Every structure is written in C-alpha cells, then in structure tokens.
Amino acid sequence: YTGKVDEIEKVGDSYQLRVKLPFASDEELSVMESGNELIVHVGRYRRNIMLPMILAAMSVAEARLDQDVLTLSFKKSSR
C-alpha cells in the first residue's frame, strides 16, 4: 500500500482525523480514547494510534465510517 494511512485537517475550531479502515463495518467497529492514544477495534483486530499533541488535548466529538474511511471529529474538551 502506497497511499496515506491517515490524515489530519483543521475544520473551523476543531480537527478531523481520517483513518483508512478497509473491510470494516459499523457493526464491528469501536473507538476508545486512552490518554494520548486512540484505540480502534475492528472485530478482533486492534490498532493503537498515537495522537499528536493538538489532538491529545481534545476529545472525540463524533466518529463515522464512510466506506473504508473512519472520520473522527475532535473538539476542545473540558478536561
């Protein structure tokens, strides 16, 4: 595979992280935040994603899977 695995984009005062997840479906997908890591489960497979400092200081506000791309919206948290 030679394309980008993930991509971060600033959208207004929030950020979006897009992660390629080929063959994933909504039913088998779960996302959890743990400190500066994002833990993505697809069925029995797990992927830990180290978040850059700007995203680690925020919280996931929304997650959606569109075809093979998981889009996570991050907003400032009150932590």
Side-chain angles (χ1 to χ4, degrees):
Y1 183 75
T2 58
K4 287 185 177 181
V5 175
D6 57 28
E7 181 178 320
I8 299 171
E9 179 182 3
K10 185 171 172 62
V11 180
D13 62 346
S14 63
Y15 286 84
Q16 285 188 344
L17 170 64
R18 286 186 286 281
V19 180
K20 292 250 184 205
L21 293 177
F23 311 111
S25 68
D26 285 331
E27 299 82 31
E28 60 183 6
L29 179 67
S30 72
V31 178
M32 225 173 59
E33 292 177 87
S34 179
N36 62 347
E37 257 186 313
L38 194 65
I39 303 165
V40 179
H41 285 269
V42 178
R44 61 183 191 157
Y45 299 98
R46 180 176 89 181
R47 179 170 172 195
N48 292 32
I49 301 170
M50 295 298 294
L51 296 172
M53 287 178 60
I54 190 73
L55 295 185
M58 299 181 163
S59 294
V60 175
E62 180 185 10
R64 70 179 183 278
L65 183 64
D66 185 23
Q67 295 188 350
D68 67 343
V69 178
L70 173 64
T71 302
L72 300 150
S73 297
F74 286 80
K75 296 198 180 208
K76 290 184 181 177
S77 66
S78 57
R79 313 185 223 187

